[in-house]
Amino acid sequence: MVGLLAGLNRYLHRSLAAPREPLRGSLGDHGLTGKTVRISTRKSRQLTGWWLPGHAAGGSIVIAHGWGTNREVMLPLARPLQAEGWNVLLFDMRNHGESDGDDFSSMPRFAEDIEAAVDWIRAQPGHADQPVGLLGHSVGGAAALLAASRRDDIAAVVSLSTFAHPADMMRRWLKWKKLPFFPVGWYVLRYVERVIGHRFDAIAPIHTLPRIRCPVLLVHGRDDPVIPAADAERLHAHRGTTPTTLRLLPGQHDLSEHLETHFSTLHDFLEQAVACRESTDRRAATGRPSTPTR
């Protein structure tokens, strides 16, 4: 029995590992202006990213990719944000793209890397007090919610195609693998929790979203076959007092094409969130009472 479980654990570790997708081009190949940067994260690992400075420099956006992809796939969103004057930081998570490897990937580790990216921006000259927003896709979106729930210095979060609860994602994976929930599926969920060091309930977006203290925009494709739109509706229903907007768009899991069409919705949300944050910060600095936003 011990040998059987050890073999199952090795199979699960391999099956759940994130594939490393190589980048296909440089910033110059994409016609963008910026530079390649290295960001220190947990366990002395280094993340590789692109820093795209905006002309207005009124705020910065950290963009987080999803599972098994890399920073390059998020360029369709980075390009218009930079054109509107935002500083944009795209980076590869550990075990992804050109960043260092680690023993495993997980949504909490994505969140750690997002926080490392925020800290990197804060350490740049002139950026210590600048508004920073988070934008993440799929697992990156869930990680952005988790990271924002731990911090007071995030101005806004845009979460794209995000699941409501990781246990539901695991159940869908088990169904795809044609594995029964009892006893195999139950063991898989407990094994993953033990490996990542977190209970699913503690990191589930439906539980982290209500702890966030800035505006959140949830965007989801109506025909998403990977994470159903019902997850976005469930997540929105569990928002608590967090100011949260839900937008269901045409499209599936990859929303880049449709978001380009609806970019004004995303940009207006970020502009309003940052303006609200700056107004609140000014009132706090002058000692005047602020109007509650929740």
Short mmCIF file of all heavy atoms in Angstrom, two decimals, residues 16-18 41-42 64-68 91 93-96 104-115 136-150 159 161-170 192-193 195-209 211-212 227 235:
data_model
loop_
_atom_site.label_atom_id
_atom_site.label_comp_id
_atom_site.label_asym_id
_atom_site.label_seq_id
_atom_site.Cartn_x
_atom_site.Cartn_y
_atom_site.Cartn_z
N LEU A 16 0.35 17.32 -12.48
CA LEU A 16 -0.08 18.66 -12.08
C LEU A 16 1.00 19.71 -12.27
O LEU A 16 0.78 20.88 -11.97
CB LEU A 16 -0.53 18.64 -10.62
CG LEU A 16 -1.78 17.78 -10.33
CD1 LEU A 16 -2.00 17.63 -8.83
CD2 LEU A 16 -3.01 18.37 -10.99
N ALA A 17 2.16 19.30 -12.77
CA ALA A 17 3.24 20.26 -12.99
C ALA A 17 2.89 21.19 -14.15
O ALA A 17 2.28 20.78 -15.15
CB ALA A 17 4.55 19.54 -13.28
N ALA A 18 3.26 22.45 -14.03
CA ALA A 18 2.99 23.43 -15.09
C ALA A 18 3.98 23.24 -16.23
O ALA A 18 5.19 23.20 -15.99
CB ALA A 18 3.09 24.84 -14.54
N THR A 41 12.28 36.90 -5.81
CA THR A 41 11.09 36.38 -5.15
C THR A 41 11.50 35.40 -4.05
O THR A 41 12.67 35.35 -3.64
CB THR A 41 10.14 35.72 -6.18
OG1 THR A 41 8.89 35.41 -5.54
CG2 THR A 41 10.74 34.47 -6.78
N ARG A 42 10.56 34.62 -3.55
CA ARG A 42 10.84 33.71 -2.43
C ARG A 42 11.89 32.66 -2.80
O ARG A 42 12.09 32.33 -3.96
CB ARG A 42 9.54 33.01 -2.01
CG ARG A 42 8.41 33.93 -1.58
CD ARG A 42 8.64 34.51 -0.21
NE ARG A 42 7.49 35.27 0.24
CZ ARG A 42 6.49 34.77 0.96
NH1 ARG A 42 6.49 33.49 1.30
NH2 ARG A 42 5.47 35.54 1.34
N ALA A 64 -0.27 39.38 -14.57
CA ALA A 64 0.06 38.00 -14.23
C ALA A 64 -0.59 37.04 -15.23
O ALA A 64 -1.80 37.06 -15.41
CB ALA A 64 -0.40 37.67 -12.81
N HIS A 65 0.23 36.21 -15.85
CA HIS A 65 -0.28 35.22 -16.81
C HIS A 65 -0.91 34.04 -16.08
O HIS A 65 -0.88 33.94 -14.84
CB HIS A 65 0.84 34.76 -17.74
CG HIS A 65 1.98 34.08 -17.02
ND1 HIS A 65 1.89 32.81 -16.49
CD2 HIS A 65 3.25 34.50 -16.73
CE1 HIS A 65 3.03 32.46 -15.93
NE2 HIS A 65 3.88 33.48 -16.05
N GLY A 66 -1.44 33.10 -16.85
CA GLY A 66 -2.07 31.92 -16.28
C GLY A 66 -1.14 30.72 -16.24
O GLY A 66 0.06 30.81 -16.53
N TRP A 67 -1.70 29.58 -15.92
CA TRP A 67 -0.95 28.34 -15.73
C TRP A 67 -0.37 27.85 -17.07
O TRP A 67 -1.08 27.74 -18.05
CB TRP A 67 -1.88 27.26 -15.17
CG TRP A 67 -1.23 26.03 -14.66
CD1 TRP A 67 -1.06 24.86 -15.34
CD2 TRP A 67 -0.69 25.82 -13.36
NE1 TRP A 67 -0.43 23.93 -14.55
CE2 TRP A 67 -0.20 24.50 -13.32
CE3 TRP A 67 -0.58 26.63 -12.23
CZ2 TRP A 67 0.40 23.96 -12.18
CZ3 TRP A 67 0.01 26.09 -11.09
CH2 TRP A 67 0.50 24.77 -11.07
N GLY A 68 0.93 27.57 -17.08
CA GLY A 68 1.54 26.98 -18.25
C GLY A 68 1.76 27.93 -19.41
O GLY A 68 2.05 27.48 -20.53
N PHE A 91 5.68 39.65 -16.17
CA PHE A 91 6.77 38.78 -15.73
C PHE A 91 6.33 37.33 -15.80
O PHE A 91 5.13 37.03 -15.86
CB PHE A 91 7.21 39.14 -14.31
CG PHE A 91 6.18 38.82 -13.27
CD1 PHE A 91 6.26 37.63 -12.54
CD2 PHE A 91 5.12 39.68 -13.02
CE1 PHE A 91 5.30 37.32 -11.59
CE2 PHE A 91 4.16 39.38 -12.07
CZ PHE A 91 4.25 38.20 -11.35
N MET A 93 6.07 33.72 -13.99
CA MET A 93 6.07 33.08 -12.68
C MET A 93 7.21 32.06 -12.59
O MET A 93 7.77 31.64 -13.61
CB MET A 93 4.74 32.35 -12.45
CG MET A 93 3.51 33.23 -12.56
SD MET A 93 3.41 34.40 -11.19
CE MET A 93 1.93 35.32 -11.69
N ARG A 94 7.54 31.65 -11.39
CA ARG A 94 8.49 30.55 -11.25
C ARG A 94 8.01 29.33 -12.05
O ARG A 94 6.81 29.06 -12.13
CB ARG A 94 8.62 30.16 -9.77
CG ARG A 94 9.59 31.01 -8.97
CD ARG A 94 9.52 30.70 -7.50
NE ARG A 94 8.35 31.31 -6.87
CZ ARG A 94 8.00 31.15 -5.59
NH1 ARG A 94 8.74 30.38 -4.81
NH2 ARG A 94 6.93 31.75 -5.10
N ASN A 95 8.95 28.62 -12.64
CA ASN A 95 8.66 27.45 -13.48
C ASN A 95 7.98 27.80 -14.79
O ASN A 95 7.48 26.91 -15.48
CB ASN A 95 7.80 26.41 -12.73
CG ASN A 95 8.50 25.80 -11.54
OD1 ASN A 95 9.71 25.57 -11.58
ND2 ASN A 95 7.76 25.56 -10.48
N HIS A 96 7.95 29.07 -15.15
CA HIS A 96 7.31 29.51 -16.39
C HIS A 96 8.26 30.41 -17.17
O HIS A 96 9.07 31.14 -16.57
CB HIS A 96 6.02 30.27 -16.08
CG HIS A 96 4.92 29.43 -15.54
ND1 HIS A 96 4.92 28.95 -14.24
CD2 HIS A 96 3.76 28.97 -16.11
CE1 HIS A 96 3.82 28.24 -14.04
NE2 HIS A 96 3.11 28.23 -15.15
N PHE A 104 7.77 23.11 -7.21
CA PHE A 104 6.41 23.00 -7.74
C PHE A 104 5.83 24.39 -7.91
O PHE A 104 6.34 25.37 -7.37
CB PHE A 104 5.51 22.15 -6.83
CG PHE A 104 5.25 22.75 -5.48
CD1 PHE A 104 4.21 23.66 -5.28
CD2 PHE A 104 6.03 22.42 -4.38
CE1 PHE A 104 3.96 24.21 -4.04
CE2 PHE A 104 5.80 22.97 -3.13
CZ PHE A 104 4.76 23.87 -2.96
N SER A 105 4.76 24.45 -8.68
CA SER A 105 4.00 25.69 -8.85
C SER A 105 2.65 25.54 -8.17
O SER A 105 2.13 24.43 -8.05
CB SER A 105 3.79 26.00 -10.34
OG SER A 105 5.00 26.24 -11.01
N SER A 106 2.09 26.66 -7.76
CA SER A 106 0.77 26.66 -7.14
C SER A 106 0.20 28.07 -7.20
O SER A 106 0.94 29.04 -7.42
CB SER A 106 0.84 26.18 -5.68
OG SER A 106 1.55 27.12 -4.89
N MET A 107 -1.09 28.18 -6.99
CA MET A 107 -1.69 29.50 -6.98
C MET A 107 -1.12 30.38 -5.86
O MET A 107 -0.82 31.56 -6.10
CB MET A 107 -3.21 29.39 -6.88
CG MET A 107 -3.93 30.71 -7.10
SD MET A 107 -4.35 31.53 -5.56
CE MET A 107 -5.86 30.65 -5.15
N PRO A 108 -0.89 29.87 -4.64
CA PRO A 108 -0.25 30.71 -3.62
C PRO A 108 1.16 31.16 -4.02
O PRO A 108 1.56 32.28 -3.69
CB PRO A 108 -0.21 29.81 -2.38
CG PRO A 108 -1.36 28.88 -2.57
CD PRO A 108 -1.39 28.61 -4.04
N ARG A 109 1.90 30.33 -4.75
CA ARG A 109 3.22 30.76 -5.21
C ARG A 109 3.10 31.82 -6.32
O ARG A 109 3.94 32.71 -6.41
CB ARG A 109 4.04 29.56 -5.66
CG ARG A 109 4.49 28.71 -4.48
CD ARG A 109 5.62 27.76 -4.84
NE ARG A 109 6.14 27.14 -3.62
CZ ARG A 109 7.12 26.25 -3.60
NH1 ARG A 109 7.67 25.86 -4.75
NH2 ARG A 109 7.55 25.74 -2.47
N PHE A 110 2.07 31.71 -7.15
CA PHE A 110 1.80 32.78 -8.10
C PHE A 110 1.60 34.10 -7.33
O PHE A 110 2.11 35.15 -7.72
CB PHE A 110 0.53 32.47 -8.90
CG PHE A 110 0.74 31.71 -10.17
CD1 PHE A 110 1.55 30.58 -10.22
CD2 PHE A 110 0.11 32.09 -11.34
CE1 PHE A 110 1.73 29.87 -11.40
CE2 PHE A 110 0.28 31.40 -12.52
CZ PHE A 110 1.08 30.28 -12.57
N ALA A 111 0.83 34.03 -6.23
CA ALA A 111 0.56 35.24 -5.44
C ALA A 111 1.84 35.78 -4.83
O ALA A 111 2.05 37.00 -4.78
CB ALA A 111 -0.46 34.93 -4.34
N GLU A 112 2.73 34.90 -4.37
CA GLU A 112 4.02 35.35 -3.83
C GLU A 112 4.81 36.10 -4.90
O GLU A 112 5.42 37.14 -4.63
CB GLU A 112 4.83 34.15 -3.34
CG GLU A 112 4.27 33.49 -2.09
CD GLU A 112 5.00 32.21 -1.74
OE1 GLU A 112 5.91 31.79 -2.49
OE2 GLU A 112 4.65 31.60 -0.70
N ASP A 113 4.80 35.57 -6.12
CA ASP A 113 5.55 36.21 -7.21
C ASP A 113 4.92 37.55 -7.60
O ASP A 113 5.62 38.51 -7.94
CB ASP A 113 5.62 35.28 -8.41
CG ASP A 113 6.49 34.05 -8.15
OD1 ASP A 113 7.23 34.05 -7.15
OD2 ASP A 113 6.42 33.09 -8.94
N ILE A 114 3.59 37.64 -7.55
CA ILE A 114 2.91 38.92 -7.81
C ILE A 114 3.33 39.95 -6.77
O ILE A 114 3.63 41.11 -7.09
CB ILE A 114 1.39 38.73 -7.82
CG1 ILE A 114 0.96 37.95 -9.07
CG2 ILE A 114 0.67 40.09 -7.77
CD1 ILE A 114 -0.50 37.54 -9.06
N GLU A 115 3.36 39.55 -5.51
CA GLU A 115 3.77 40.48 -4.46
C GLU A 115 5.23 40.90 -4.64
O GLU A 115 5.58 42.06 -4.38
CB GLU A 115 3.55 39.85 -3.08
CG GLU A 115 2.08 39.67 -2.74
CD GLU A 115 1.85 39.51 -1.27
OE1 GLU A 115 2.02 40.49 -0.52
OE2 GLU A 115 1.52 38.37 -0.84
N GLY A 136 -4.73 39.86 -13.67
CA GLY A 136 -4.31 38.47 -13.82
C GLY A 136 -5.33 37.64 -14.58
O GLY A 136 -6.52 37.93 -14.55
N HIS A 137 -4.82 36.60 -15.24
CA HIS A 137 -5.68 35.72 -16.03
C HIS A 137 -5.72 34.32 -15.42
O HIS A 137 -4.67 33.75 -15.08
CB HIS A 137 -5.18 35.63 -17.48
CG HIS A 137 -5.96 34.68 -18.33
ND1 HIS A 137 -5.48 33.46 -18.74
CD2 HIS A 137 -7.21 34.78 -18.85
CE1 HIS A 137 -6.39 32.85 -19.48
NE2 HIS A 137 -7.45 33.63 -19.55
N SER A 138 -6.90 33.77 -15.25
CA SER A 138 -7.10 32.40 -14.79
C SER A 138 -6.46 32.19 -13.42
O SER A 138 -6.81 32.87 -12.46
CB SER A 138 -6.56 31.42 -15.83
OG SER A 138 -7.00 30.11 -15.58
N VAL A 139 -5.48 31.28 -13.30
CA VAL A 139 -4.80 31.10 -12.02
C VAL A 139 -4.12 32.40 -11.60
O VAL A 139 -4.08 32.74 -10.42
CB VAL A 139 -3.78 29.94 -12.11
CG1 VAL A 139 -2.97 29.84 -10.82
CG2 VAL A 139 -4.48 28.63 -12.39
N GLY A 140 -3.60 33.15 -12.58
CA GLY A 140 -3.01 34.45 -12.29
C GLY A 140 -4.03 35.43 -11.73
O GLY A 140 -3.70 36.27 -10.88
N GLY A 141 -5.28 35.33 -12.19
CA GLY A 141 -6.34 36.18 -11.65
C GLY A 141 -6.69 35.81 -10.23
O GLY A 141 -6.89 36.69 -9.37
N ALA A 142 -6.76 34.51 -9.95
CA ALA A 142 -7.02 34.06 -8.58
C ALA A 142 -5.88 34.49 -7.66
O ALA A 142 -6.10 34.90 -6.51
CB ALA A 142 -7.19 32.55 -8.55
N ALA A 143 -4.65 34.38 -8.16
CA ALA A 143 -3.49 34.79 -7.36
C ALA A 143 -3.47 36.29 -7.12
O ALA A 143 -3.06 36.75 -6.05
CB ALA A 143 -2.20 34.36 -8.07
N ALA A 144 -3.93 37.07 -8.10
CA ALA A 144 -4.01 38.52 -7.91
C ALA A 144 -4.99 38.86 -6.79
O ALA A 144 -4.73 39.75 -5.97
CB ALA A 144 -4.43 39.20 -9.20
N LEU A 145 -6.10 38.13 -6.72
CA LEU A 145 -7.07 38.35 -5.63
C LEU A 145 -6.44 37.97 -4.29
O LEU A 145 -6.62 38.69 -3.29
CB LEU A 145 -8.33 37.53 -5.89
CG LEU A 145 -9.16 37.91 -7.11
CD1 LEU A 145 -10.30 36.91 -7.31
CD2 LEU A 145 -9.72 39.33 -6.98
N LEU A 146 -5.71 36.86 -4.26
CA LEU A 146 -5.08 36.43 -3.01
C LEU A 146 -4.03 37.46 -2.57
O LEU A 146 -3.98 37.84 -1.39
CB LEU A 146 -4.43 35.06 -3.21
CG LEU A 146 -3.66 34.48 -2.01
CD1 LEU A 146 -4.53 34.39 -0.77
CD2 LEU A 146 -3.07 33.11 -2.37
N ALA A 147 -3.21 37.93 -3.52
CA ALA A 147 -2.18 38.90 -3.18
C ALA A 147 -2.80 40.20 -2.67
O ALA A 147 -2.35 40.78 -1.67
CB ALA A 147 -1.29 39.18 -4.39
N ALA A 148 -3.86 40.67 -3.34
CA ALA A 148 -4.51 41.92 -2.93
C ALA A 148 -5.16 41.80 -1.57
O ALA A 148 -5.24 42.78 -0.82
CB ALA A 148 -5.55 42.34 -3.98
N SER A 149 -5.63 40.59 -1.22
CA SER A 149 -6.28 40.41 0.08
C SER A 149 -5.29 40.53 1.23
O SER A 149 -5.70 40.69 2.39
CB SER A 149 -6.98 39.04 0.14
OG SER A 149 -6.04 37.98 0.25
N ARG A 150 -4.00 40.47 0.94
CA ARG A 150 -2.96 40.54 1.97
C ARG A 150 -2.34 41.92 2.11
O ARG A 150 -1.50 42.12 2.99
CB ARG A 150 -1.84 39.54 1.62
CG ARG A 150 -2.25 38.08 1.58
CD ARG A 150 -1.12 37.27 0.97
NE ARG A 150 -1.36 35.82 1.08
CZ ARG A 150 -0.65 34.90 0.45
NH1 ARG A 150 0.35 35.28 -0.34
NH2 ARG A 150 -0.92 33.62 0.61
N SER A 159 -9.50 40.75 -12.57
CA SER A 159 -9.35 39.30 -12.55
C SER A 159 -10.12 38.71 -13.74
O SER A 159 -11.34 38.83 -13.83
CB SER A 159 -9.90 38.73 -11.22
OG SER A 159 -9.62 37.36 -11.10
N SER A 161 -11.25 35.51 -16.19
CA SER A 161 -11.45 34.06 -16.35
C SER A 161 -11.01 33.28 -15.12
O SER A 161 -10.32 32.26 -15.21
CB SER A 161 -10.69 33.55 -17.58
OG SER A 161 -11.02 34.28 -18.73
N THR A 162 -11.42 33.74 -13.95
CA THR A 162 -10.95 33.17 -12.68
C THR A 162 -11.97 32.21 -12.09
O THR A 162 -13.17 32.45 -12.13
CB THR A 162 -10.66 34.31 -11.68
OG1 THR A 162 -9.63 35.13 -12.23
CG2 THR A 162 -10.19 33.77 -10.35
N PHE A 163 -11.47 31.13 -11.51
CA PHE A 163 -12.34 30.16 -10.85
C PHE A 163 -12.78 30.68 -9.50
O PHE A 163 -12.12 31.55 -8.90
CB PHE A 163 -11.63 28.81 -10.69
CG PHE A 163 -10.29 28.88 -10.05
CD1 PHE A 163 -10.15 28.93 -8.67
CD2 PHE A 163 -9.14 28.88 -10.82
CE1 PHE A 163 -8.91 29.00 -8.07
CE2 PHE A 163 -7.88 28.93 -10.23
CZ PHE A 163 -7.77 28.99 -8.86
N ALA A 164 -13.90 30.14 -9.00
CA ALA A 164 -14.42 30.56 -7.71
C ALA A 164 -13.74 29.83 -6.56
O ALA A 164 -13.51 30.40 -5.49
CB ALA A 164 -15.93 30.34 -7.64
N HIS A 165 -13.43 28.54 -6.78
CA HIS A 165 -12.84 27.73 -5.71
C HIS A 165 -11.91 26.70 -6.33
O HIS A 165 -12.29 26.01 -7.28
CB HIS A 165 -13.95 27.03 -4.91
CG HIS A 165 -13.54 26.57 -3.55
ND1 HIS A 165 -12.60 25.58 -3.35
CD2 HIS A 165 -13.93 26.96 -2.30
CE1 HIS A 165 -12.44 25.37 -2.04
NE2 HIS A 165 -13.24 26.20 -1.39
N PRO A 166 -10.67 26.55 -5.83
CA PRO A 166 -9.73 25.60 -6.43
C PRO A 166 -10.20 24.15 -6.35
O PRO A 166 -9.85 23.35 -7.21
CB PRO A 166 -8.44 25.82 -5.64
CG PRO A 166 -8.84 26.52 -4.39
CD PRO A 166 -10.06 27.32 -4.74
N ALA A 167 -10.99 23.80 -5.34
CA ALA A 167 -11.48 22.42 -5.25
C ALA A 167 -12.38 22.10 -6.44
O ALA A 167 -12.37 20.97 -6.95
CB ALA A 167 -12.24 22.22 -3.94
N ASP A 168 -13.15 23.09 -6.91
CA ASP A 168 -13.99 22.86 -8.09
C ASP A 168 -13.13 22.64 -9.33
O ASP A 168 -13.46 21.82 -10.19
CB ASP A 168 -14.91 24.06 -8.31
CG ASP A 168 -15.88 24.26 -7.15
OD1 ASP A 168 -16.19 23.27 -6.46
OD2 ASP A 168 -16.31 25.40 -6.93
N MET A 169 -12.04 23.40 -9.44
CA MET A 169 -11.11 23.20 -10.55
C MET A 169 -10.53 21.78 -10.51
O MET A 169 -10.43 21.11 -11.55
CB MET A 169 -9.97 24.22 -10.46
CG MET A 169 -10.30 25.58 -11.03
SD MET A 169 -10.52 25.57 -12.83
CE MET A 169 -8.87 25.11 -13.37
N MET A 170 -10.17 21.32 -9.32
CA MET A 170 -9.62 19.98 -9.19
C MET A 170 -10.65 18.92 -9.54
O MET A 170 -10.33 17.91 -10.18
CB MET A 170 -9.11 19.77 -7.76
CG MET A 170 -7.89 20.60 -7.38
SD MET A 170 -6.46 20.28 -8.45
CE MET A 170 -6.26 18.51 -8.26
N VAL A 192 -2.79 17.52 -2.73
CA VAL A 192 -2.42 18.83 -3.27
C VAL A 192 -2.37 19.87 -2.15
O VAL A 192 -1.45 20.68 -2.09
CB VAL A 192 -3.39 19.26 -4.38
CG1 VAL A 192 -3.11 20.70 -4.81
CG2 VAL A 192 -3.27 18.33 -5.58
N GLU A 193 -3.35 19.83 -1.25
CA GLU A 193 -3.34 20.77 -0.11
C GLU A 193 -2.07 20.60 0.72
O GLU A 193 -1.47 21.58 1.16
CB GLU A 193 -4.57 20.56 0.76
CG GLU A 193 -5.86 21.08 0.15
CD GLU A 193 -7.05 20.90 1.08
OE1 GLU A 193 -7.07 19.86 1.79
OE2 GLU A 193 -7.93 21.75 1.10
N VAL A 195 0.87 19.39 -0.29
CA VAL A 195 2.05 19.82 -1.04
C VAL A 195 2.18 21.34 -1.06
O VAL A 195 3.25 21.90 -0.82
CB VAL A 195 2.01 19.27 -2.48
CG1 VAL A 195 3.09 19.93 -3.35
CG2 VAL A 195 2.21 17.76 -2.48
N ILE A 196 1.07 22.05 -1.34
CA ILE A 196 1.15 23.51 -1.47
C ILE A 196 1.16 24.21 -0.11
O ILE A 196 1.47 25.40 -0.02
CB ILE A 196 0.01 24.07 -2.34
CG1 ILE A 196 -1.35 23.92 -1.66
CG2 ILE A 196 0.01 23.39 -3.71
CD1 ILE A 196 -2.50 24.57 -2.43
N GLY A 197 0.79 23.48 0.95
CA GLY A 197 0.84 24.06 2.29
C GLY A 197 -0.33 24.97 2.61
O GLY A 197 -0.21 25.81 3.52
N HIS A 198 -1.44 24.82 1.92
CA HIS A 198 -2.62 25.66 2.15
C HIS A 198 -3.88 24.83 1.97
O HIS A 198 -3.96 24.01 1.05
CB HIS A 198 -2.67 26.85 1.17
CG HIS A 198 -1.53 27.80 1.29
ND1 HIS A 198 -1.56 28.89 2.13
CD2 HIS A 198 -0.32 27.83 0.66
CE1 HIS A 198 -0.42 29.56 2.01
NE2 HIS A 198 0.34 28.93 1.13
N ARG A 199 -4.87 25.07 2.81
CA ARG A 199 -6.19 24.50 2.59
C ARG A 199 -6.88 25.29 1.48
O ARG A 199 -6.77 26.51 1.40
CB ARG A 199 -7.03 24.56 3.86
CG ARG A 199 -6.49 23.74 5.02
CD ARG A 199 -6.44 22.25 4.69
NE ARG A 199 -7.76 21.72 4.38
CZ ARG A 199 -8.56 21.17 5.30
NH1 ARG A 199 -8.19 21.12 6.57
NH2 ARG A 199 -9.73 20.69 4.94
N PHE A 200 -7.60 24.58 0.62
CA PHE A 200 -8.26 25.24 -0.50
C PHE A 200 -9.22 26.34 -0.03
O PHE A 200 -9.31 27.40 -0.65
CB PHE A 200 -9.03 24.22 -1.34
CG PHE A 200 -8.14 23.34 -2.19
CD1 PHE A 200 -8.46 22.01 -2.41
CD2 PHE A 200 -6.98 23.84 -2.76
CE1 PHE A 200 -7.66 21.21 -3.20
CE2 PHE A 200 -6.16 23.05 -3.55
CZ PHE A 200 -6.51 21.72 -3.77
N ASP A 201 -9.92 26.09 1.06
CA ASP A 201 -10.86 27.09 1.55
C ASP A 201 -10.16 28.40 1.92
O ASP A 201 -10.73 29.48 1.76
CB ASP A 201 -11.62 26.57 2.78
CG ASP A 201 -12.81 25.70 2.40
OD1 ASP A 201 -13.23 25.74 1.24
OD2 ASP A 201 -13.32 24.97 3.27
N ALA A 202 -8.93 28.31 2.40
CA ALA A 202 -8.22 29.51 2.85
C ALA A 202 -7.79 30.39 1.68
O ALA A 202 -7.65 31.61 1.84
CB ALA A 202 -7.01 29.12 3.68
N ILE A 203 -7.56 29.79 0.50
CA ILE A 203 -7.06 30.56 -0.64
C ILE A 203 -8.10 30.72 -1.74
O ILE A 203 -7.81 31.36 -2.77
CB ILE A 203 -5.79 29.90 -1.23
CG1 ILE A 203 -6.11 28.49 -1.73
CG2 ILE A 203 -4.68 29.88 -0.20
CD1 ILE A 203 -4.96 27.82 -2.48
N ALA A 204 -9.29 30.18 -1.55
CA ALA A 204 -10.32 30.24 -2.58
C ALA A 204 -10.72 31.69 -2.87
O ALA A 204 -10.94 32.47 -1.94
CB ALA A 204 -11.56 29.45 -2.16
N PRO A 205 -10.82 32.09 -4.15
CA PRO A 205 -11.25 33.45 -4.47
C PRO A 205 -12.55 33.88 -3.81
O PRO A 205 -12.70 35.05 -3.46
CB PRO A 205 -11.36 33.42 -6.00
CG PRO A 205 -10.30 32.44 -6.42
CD PRO A 205 -10.36 31.37 -5.36
N ILE A 206 -13.50 32.95 -3.61
CA ILE A 206 -14.74 33.36 -2.96
C ILE A 206 -14.51 33.78 -1.50
O ILE A 206 -15.36 34.46 -0.91
CB ILE A 206 -15.83 32.25 -3.01
CG1 ILE A 206 -15.37 30.98 -2.31
CG2 ILE A 206 -16.26 31.97 -4.43
CD1 ILE A 206 -16.49 29.97 -2.13
N HIS A 207 -13.37 33.40 -0.94
CA HIS A 207 -13.04 33.80 0.42
C HIS A 207 -12.02 34.93 0.48
O HIS A 207 -11.99 35.68 1.47
CB HIS A 207 -12.53 32.59 1.21
CG HIS A 207 -13.55 31.52 1.39
ND1 HIS A 207 -13.24 30.17 1.42
CD2 HIS A 207 -14.90 31.58 1.51
CE1 HIS A 207 -14.35 29.47 1.56
NE2 HIS A 207 -15.37 30.30 1.62
N THR A 208 -11.18 35.08 -0.56
CA THR A 208 -10.21 36.18 -0.55
C THR A 208 -10.84 37.48 -1.06
O THR A 208 -10.47 38.56 -0.60
CB THR A 208 -8.97 35.84 -1.39
OG1 THR A 208 -9.35 35.57 -2.74
CG2 THR A 208 -8.26 34.63 -0.82
N LEU A 209 -11.77 37.39 -2.02
CA LEU A 209 -12.38 38.60 -2.57
C LEU A 209 -13.00 39.49 -1.49
O LEU A 209 -12.79 40.71 -1.49
CB LEU A 209 -13.43 38.22 -3.62
CG LEU A 209 -14.26 39.37 -4.22
CD1 LEU A 209 -13.36 40.42 -4.87
CD2 LEU A 209 -15.27 38.84 -5.22
N ARG A 211 -12.09 40.06 1.37
CA ARG A 211 -11.07 40.67 2.24
C ARG A 211 -10.29 41.77 1.53
O ARG A 211 -9.42 42.40 2.14
CB ARG A 211 -10.10 39.58 2.73
CG ARG A 211 -10.76 38.47 3.54
CD ARG A 211 -9.76 37.73 4.40
NE ARG A 211 -8.78 37.01 3.63
CZ ARG A 211 -8.87 35.72 3.28
NH1 ARG A 211 -9.96 35.03 3.63
NH2 ARG A 211 -7.92 35.12 2.59
N ILE A 212 -10.60 42.02 0.27
CA ILE A 212 -9.86 43.02 -0.50
C ILE A 212 -10.42 44.41 -0.22
O ILE A 212 -11.63 44.60 -0.12
CB ILE A 212 -9.93 42.69 -2.01
CG1 ILE A 212 -9.19 41.37 -2.27
CG2 ILE A 212 -9.33 43.81 -2.85
CD1 ILE A 212 -9.29 40.87 -3.70
N ILE A 227 -13.30 27.23 -17.38
CA ILE A 227 -13.91 27.68 -16.13
C ILE A 227 -15.25 28.31 -16.50
O ILE A 227 -15.28 29.37 -17.13
CB ILE A 227 -13.02 28.72 -15.42
CG1 ILE A 227 -11.65 28.11 -15.11
CG2 ILE A 227 -13.69 29.20 -14.13
CD1 ILE A 227 -10.63 29.12 -14.59
N LEU A 235 -18.57 33.96 -7.74
CA LEU A 235 -17.55 34.80 -7.11
C LEU A 235 -18.11 36.19 -6.81
O LEU A 235 -17.92 36.72 -5.71
CB LEU A 235 -16.33 34.89 -8.02
CG LEU A 235 -15.09 35.63 -7.54
CD1 LEU A 235 -14.65 35.10 -6.18
CD2 LEU A 235 -13.97 35.48 -8.55
#
